[in-house]
Amino acid sequence: MGRTYLVEESIGQYLTELSTKVKPYVTGLLIGQCSPQRDYVIRAVRTPPKEQQQEESVGPPRLASLDKEWITTHASQVSRMLPGGLLVLGVFMIATPELAKDGQNALRKLIFSVEKSLSKRRLWKPAEEEVSDRAALQICSATKKVVCRTYDVQDPKSSAKPADWKYQSALTASWVALGCTVNVNIHIPLLATSPNHDLEKNTKNGLNRWSKQIEDSVFLINGQVKDEDTELLEGQKKLRGNTQPTTQFSDVKVLTQLGQAASARSTATVQVCSGSINLRGAVKCRAYIHGNKPKVKEAVQALKRDIINTLSDRCEILFEDLILNEGPQKKNFGREYHVLPQRLFVPVAGSSVMLSDYKFGDEAAGEIQERFVEMLDQPVQAEDMHIAEDISTGMKTGQCTHDLLCRVN
């Protein structure tokens, strides 16, 4: 039996509106959450048009012109805007009848291309029991027929499996939000024997080591340590008949180990260093989990990944900004201090879930609004943007020291 996708009702209307604009096809991403029993789709987002997109060449339309790299880049950008628990669940294509025959093959290639790109950026590894099926949704622009299939992205030879696509109203009404503030103090030594100090590469290596510390941390949910196999909402009253977007919020404290366990053997290595990178401060993290008897381990895993992703994404964004404004040579630094972008949250219309983005101090609200329209096809009011941190993450670099600083008041 194939997987079942429960889909927010408004997505059906969104896809119908897109189908009236097909010339000759449109692609996009499916955003939501996987669970052992079923998957949830809370957003569908069309691929943004390229600025220099030209009209199709003379002749019959073909899917061979589909820009896989552009779609994959869009998926990477969107993944940064998703809090813990949400991911790119798959891709969709709305096409004319004459392209239907080649549609599934094109979608299959896109699914594996997107997953390969996203997995390269991750500093965490999927769990063995984790759902690895991704959705390929094909809609005929003429007949409106919907065909949903899945592919196992862990198996390059995976063949298509049928899946159920079911619309449901108020899909996220009973979802649970988890939030925490994580204090960061990461010291990354720069070896004197290194021919050059590539800041991005060294920072990522340091974050890799730190991410393992987060994975091994203890999470207190509303002040309690809970067994990972128990239900997250055990003992809490369920809101019956509630169809309004409300959020059950759980406050989480993260306890990291100061050192290795007493039983673990370790050796000390003395190395000559010419400098260091330091990440210090605090970051705001948030995750969402479905309301269908979620396990504690599902919720903790979602929050762990948000903690790791938000710091890694901010560093990536800073490096991209520096290269864009100052050139590739800025990947190797002298002593400098750089501010990493602040995190902000924006509500999703008709949902209890909020999406995320990052802004530098000199970015205007209008730039954030433009990015939400371009990346998520969602208009955002300035007053709906909630800045999570008063003072953002920063980076100080130098032959002696490189500091990343995160503060929250």
Side-chain angles (χ1 to χ4, degrees), residues 65-86:
S65 62
L66 191 147
D67 194 334
K68 185 167 67 175
E69 184 178 351
W70 180 255
I71 295 168
T72 300
T73 300
H74 178 226
S76 295
Q77 295 290 327
V78 166
S79 69
R80 287 177 176 172
M81 304 173 83
L82 305 180
L86 298 185

Side-chain angles (χ1 to χ4, degrees), residues 368-403:
I368 308 299
Q369 290 170 301
E370 288 176 8
R371 191 152 61 237
F372 266 87
V373 170
E374 181 183 14
M375 293 295 152
L376 295 170
D377 205 11
Q378 176 179 325
V380 172
Q381 300 300 317
E383 57 269 24
D384 289 334
M385 295 189 292
H386 305 281
I387 304 294
E389 299 146 351
D390 295 328
I391 303 177
S392 185
T393 312
M395 174 179 284
K396 183 179 179 183
T397 69
Q399 291 181 349
C400 297
T401 255
H402 307 250
D403 279 344

